[in-house]
Amino acid sequence: MLTKRIIPCLDIKNGRTVKGVNFIDLRDAGDPVELAKQYAKLGADELVFLDISATLEGRKTMYDMVLKVAEQVDIPFTVGGGISSVEDVDDLLHCGADKVSINSSAFKRPELINELSKKFGSQCIIVAIDAKQVNGEWLVHLAGGTIPTKRNLFDWAKEAEQRGAGELLFTSMNNDGTKSGFANRALAKLSKEVNIPVIASGGAGNTQHFIDAFIYGKADATLAASVFHFGEIEILDLKRELEKQNINVRL
Amino acid sequence: MNIVIIDYGAGNIKSIQFAFKRLGLEAILSNKVETIKAADKIIFPGVGEASSAMKMLKKNKLDTLIPQLKQPVLGICLGMQLMCNHSEEGNTTGLGIFDVNVKRFSDTVKVPQMGWNTIFNLKTDLFKGIKEFEFMYLVHSYYAEKTNNCIASTQYDIDYASALQNSNFYGVQFHPEKSSMAGQQILKNFIEL
């Protein structure tokens, strides 16, 4: 049976790992390649690297990092952040990335999803959506959650699927950084409305939150950063707990 | 040991090259008929869409070369699917090495299947030292039907063939290069065939 995935996310700035709390304060949690190797050993099912470098130089260090990760890590990984063209994706896949995640660039020019899925296959195209619940409605936000739009999360998710996204990464901005649990009601609705896998992100604080995201949020995978980076939750312990709740995991 | 990875523009092949490097082996990338013919072991990768991949094979005259190869060949993911008779993806005629048709998963499950699933009913030395129900990483929307060529099965939507074999030709739906230690063992087994 297909298992539920646990995915540590590593935010990368100028080649170093950082984690934003509510997307603002940044704390350093080490070297990305070493962290990636460690996570692969400790039972992570996949990894996500999100490049938050603002400069071109910072971005270039990302390609070196991707090459090093591909060389040393034997589980799949996704690269996201600042990807806006077919050429960007071609370069990253050639460096050894398994999947790419696109966000604002896809929202601004949705045809990009069609172009990428046609050229590289849906299976390597993740559309990441940051959304915030405002007056009861889930609205898509861009640029790391800083720019609000009027687009409904579920509408955009369905469009992304139709255009060829192979997977969705949904971050609830209401939950991100709060450690109070995932946005399970929105997740469950999203999972029902699309027929591609959904990765839940934003809000992981304890083991129960992961259990709830799989059981109530119907997530196919959960993504978290700080709880893993600072050793608050060990991935193997988490998976053992999930198994006790009859959630299928790779152990 | 001369290992060649067929390079016909099929996505992420660096990962396969790196996986061999972790085994202490060098694998070279090539789309040249003579280089491929001279190899001891051949990897036929593939990521992307079936009909466009088939076009690229034809452009490099690899569609006639591959079925004639005498040394062990391992198709991975779409590589394996292209070695079958026919794929529903883009209504593509394959290389016909495996007497198998490739179909799309039904919409009763999420498509693509993405993640770690188990392999069982393991046959041949490709799986030497691999335990039944070992986890492998899979990403695909189309699957190979079970026939006599089936040497490993996986359950998703239905029981399907996650590995195939016909004489010197092997194919795996999963990504051994991304499947941790067990995947590495399968690549090692292939090299030792």
Side-chain angles (χ1 to χ4, degrees):
Chain A
M1 225 170 137
L2 183 66
T3 55
K4 301 289 186 183
R5 289 167 284 155
I6 302 294
I7 309 176
C9 177
L10 293 83
D11 286 0
I12 308 294
K13 192 176 183 182
N14 305 324
R16 297 280 296 170
T17 314
V18 287
K19 165 62 190 168
V21 177
N22 271 335
F23 293 109
I24 301 168
D25 295 328
L26 299 177
R27 287 202 283 171
D28 196 324
D31 169 37
V33 182
E34 283 310 307
L35 253 178
K37 277 165 76 176
Q38 193 68 9
Y39 278 133
K41 265 189 210 148
L42 295 175
D45 295 307
E46 263 182 62
L47 298 166
V48 169
F49 296 92
L50 191 60
D51 187 16
I52 57 168
S53 303
T55 63
L56 197 63
E57 270 171 37
R59 293 213 180 287
K60 280 183 183 154
T61 63
M62 193 66 175
Y63 290 102
D64 295 336
M65 192 214 75
V66 171
L67 263 175
K68 279 185 202 148
V69 172
E71 195 173 359
Q72 300 184 37
V73 176
D74 58 6
I75 59 168
F77 68 96
T78 300
V79 178
I83 298 167
S84 58
S85 69
V86 170
E87 292 72 35
D88 290 344
V89 175
D90 207 22
D91 289 346
L92 287 165
L93 295 181
H94 271 103
C95 286
D98 297 289
K99 302 189 259 187
V100 294
S101 157
I102 49 174
N103 191 328
S104 301
S105 59
F107 190 87
K108 287 175 190 154
R109 201 173 68 79
E111 297 77 23
L112 180 64
I113 306 171
N114 304 68
E115 292 163 14
L116 294 177
S117 64
K118 198 173 167 210
K119 173 124 202 242
F120 307 106
S122 288
Q123 80 292 329
C124 65
I125 309 302
I126 299 181
V127 171
I129 308 176
D130 299 331
K132 191 175 185 178
Q133 196 175 25
V134 183
N135 298 325
E137 193 183 1
W138 282 95
L139 297 175
V140 176
H141 283 58
L142 304 180
T146 54
I147 303 170
T149 76
K150 288 178 179 164
R151 191 76 196 268
N152 176 282
L153 158 68
F154 306 102
D155 289 347
W156 171 230
K158 273 189 269 189
E159 183 180 338
E161 178 188 25
Q162 278 156 15
R163 287 181 179 277
E167 195 169 24
L168 295 176
L169 167 56
F170 162 48
T171 302
S172 161
M173 298 183 57
N174 302 71
N175 302 60
D176 197 61
T178 64
K179 296 198 173 186
S180 60
F182 294 90
N184 294 321
R185 285 175 69 173
L187 267 172
K189 187 171 180 203
L190 189 60
S191 197
K192 202 177 147 195
E193 295 205 5
V194 297
N195 201 44
I196 52 178
V198 175
I199 306 170
S201 158
N206 61 41
T207 303
Q208 188 62 41
H209 294 152
F210 289 89
I211 296 169
D212 292 345
F214 290 123
I215 293 179
Y216 302 111
K218 312 283 179 208
D220 297 287
T222 48
L223 178 141
S226 57
V227 289
F228 296 139
H229 299 333
F230 296 105
E232 293 160 35
I233 296 177
E234 298 284 345
I235 293 175
L236 277 180
D237 293 343
L238 170 62
K239 285 180 148 185
R240 285 188 195 107
E241 283 303 315
L242 292 170
E243 195 176 48
K244 275 186 205 161
Q245 304 292 325
N246 295 321
I247 296 164
N248 265 302
V249 288
R250 178 181 67 110
L251 269 172
Chain B
M1 180 66 66
N2 178 2
I3 308 163
V4 171
I5 301 169
I6 301 179
D7 180 9
Y8 60 105
N12 180 2
I13 50 177
K14 206 92 182 175
S15 294
I16 302 173
Q17 206 175 15
F18 283 142
F20 282 112
K21 200 174 166 188
R22 289 194 291 272
L23 284 168
L25 296 164
E26 194 199 353
I28 59 165
L29 309 178
S30 178
N31 63 0
K32 295 201 171 61
V33 170
E34 288 314 311
T35 312
I36 296 167
K37 266 188 180 172
D40 298 314
K41 296 287 188 312
I42 296 159
I43 303 289
F44 177 34
V47 167
E49 195 271 331
S51 64
S52 1
M54 202 61 203
K55 270 181 206 148
M56 287 193 281
L57 281 182
K58 283 181 180 162
K59 202 172 124 193
N60 292 301
K61 298 194 168 57
L62 298 171
D63 59 320
T64 47
L65 172 73
I66 294 170
Q68 292 170 11
L69 292 167
K70 300 289 177 238
Q71 56 277 71
V73 178
L74 178 66
I76 297 177
C77 196
L78 181 62
M80 181 205 84
Q81 296 190 356
L82 294 176
M83 290 158 87
C84 297
N85 282 337
H86 178 268
S87 172
E88 282 185 1
E89 188 177 27
N91 191 21
T92 308
T93 302
L95 301 176
I97 294 167
F98 303 127
D99 189 14
V100 175
N101 289 320
V102 176
K103 298 188 161 180
R104 196 172 198 275
F105 285 124
S106 79
D107 283 338
T108 59
V109 289
K110 290 204 173 180
V111 184
Q113 164 172 232
M114 190 169 303
W116 298 80
N117 201 337
T118 55
I119 54 171
F120 53 90
N121 291 340
L122 308 178
K123 294 171 193 160
T124 78
D125 281 351
L126 188 66
F127 297 107
K128 201 165 73 184
I130 303 293
K131 66 177 200 294
E132 287 284 323
F133 297 98
E134 182 56 85
F135 287 103
M136 289 290 144
Y137 186 78
L138 299 131
V139 185
H140 60 124
S141 302
Y142 295 80
Y143 67 91
E145 288 189 304
K146 282 178 102 163
T147 66
N148 289 338
N149 294 132
C150 179
I151 56 168
S153 303
T154 292
Q155 209 277 330
Y156 188 70
D157 193 16
I158 55 152
D159 270 12
Y160 67 91
S162 48
L164 298 165
Q165 187 242 333
N166 181 11
S167 63
N168 57 314
F169 294 96
Y170 293 78
V172 290
Q173 181 62 64
F174 49 84
H175 288 272
E177 76 280 13
K178 286 287 161 182
S179 296
S180 201
M181 296 308 287
Q184 185 153 317
Q185 182 63 45
I186 290 171
L187 289 178
K188 191 164 176 272
N189 289 345
F190 174 71
I191 294 307
E192 288 166 1
L193 281 175

